[in-house]
Amino acid sequence: DRRCVYATVLRNPIDRVESSWRYFCLNGAERRKGWTAAMKRAGRCSYSLERWAQTQSMLSVLELSTNQAPVARDAPVNQSLKCAPLADGPAAVRRRPQAYLEAALANVVGPDAPVRAVVVEDLADGLRLLAHELDLPLSATHAASVENAGAGARAGAVERAAAAGALALEVKLYERVRVDAVRRASALGL
């Protein structure tokens, strides 16, 4: 009798935002998606990496804690699989961002967490752990580095530090997920 779990993949939030900034802001990809009307008229994206990070400051936290969770939880297939309930964040995001982080952490950290998060940087180990915990066959795990249109020379340390400040809750979530994966793997002797 297998229990139901949700799975997701997280990327280092600073790397994710920097890649997105290069792709959308600097390269103007996807018809200048994310640009303001003024930027489009000027023909250039004026956002710094820090400002771009501010526009995405709680992306993973919100995805793992919003009121979208009941939609997935209450789906007929998930009811038949006895999915664990997911913790939802409060209605007012701006007033209580820490509460959203706590809900996201409740969903992804711990042995009974309904969501299993694998981080891109440890993809092979994370998939092995996930397969072991769920008793799924996994003969070989392959993880490859893939270049994308947002790739480029890394931003400087000062720019990345400023982005990290804007992404503080994302960084906390990411770090806790990585620590939890190491703890779970160690407990299983992997």
Side-chain angles (χ1 to χ4, degrees):
D1 184 35
R2 292 186 181 172
R3 70 183 179 106
C4 168
V5 296
Y6 302 96
T8 190
V9 178
L10 295 178
R11 183 175 178 197
N12 176 305
I14 302 162
D15 292 344
R16 176 182 49 78
V17 165
E18 183 178 353
S19 177
S20 152
W21 173 67
R22 288 186 185 291
Y23 182 75
F24 290 112
C25 190
L26 299 185
N27 296 343
E30 297 184 28
R31 297 188 175 136
R32 300 176 178 172
K33 184 178 179 180
W35 289 26
T36 64
M39 287 181 212
K40 288 178 182 177
R41 282 191 302 277
R44 65 179 286 278
C45 178
S46 60
Y47 284 165
S48 65
L49 176 58
E50 178 182 15
R51 177 67 185 105
W52 189 261
Q54 290 167 353
T55 69
Q56 301 181 34
S57 64
M58 289 184 54
L59 188 66
S60 297
V61 170
L62 289 174
E63 287 177 352
L64 291 168
S65 65
T66 65
N67 292 326
Q68 295 175 35
V71 174
R73 179 183 60 224
D74 295 338
V77 69
N78 292 342
Q79 289 180 2
S80 67
L81 293 174
K82 301 175 187 142
C83 290
L86 297 169
D88 291 330
V93 177
R94 291 182 190 267
R95 290 190 209 146
R96 303 207 34 222
Q98 187 65 34
Y100 270 94
L101 174 61
E102 290 165 10
L105 289 170
N107 286 330
V108 297
V109 173
D112 297 322
V115 179
R116 289 295 183 223
V118 175
V119 295
V120 169
E121 293 77 10
D122 302 325
L123 189 59
D125 291 339
L127 290 175
R128 249 189 310 281
L129 174 61
L130 183 64
H132 187 278
E133 287 178 328
L134 300 177
D135 194 28
L136 297 173
L138 185 65
S139 58
T141 300
H142 304 283
S145 174
V146 178
E147 290 295 320
N148 63 52
R154 199 169 223 190
V158 172
E159 290 173 295
R160 286 180 62 85
L167 298 167
L169 296 179
E170 291 281 302
V171 170
K172 285 181 184 178
L173 173 66
Y174 175 80
E175 289 174 353
R176 287 284 303 277
V177 165
R178 286 191 86 177
V179 167
D180 185 59
V182 169
R183 183 198 53 73
R184 291 184 354 251
S186 178
L188 294 170
L190 299 176

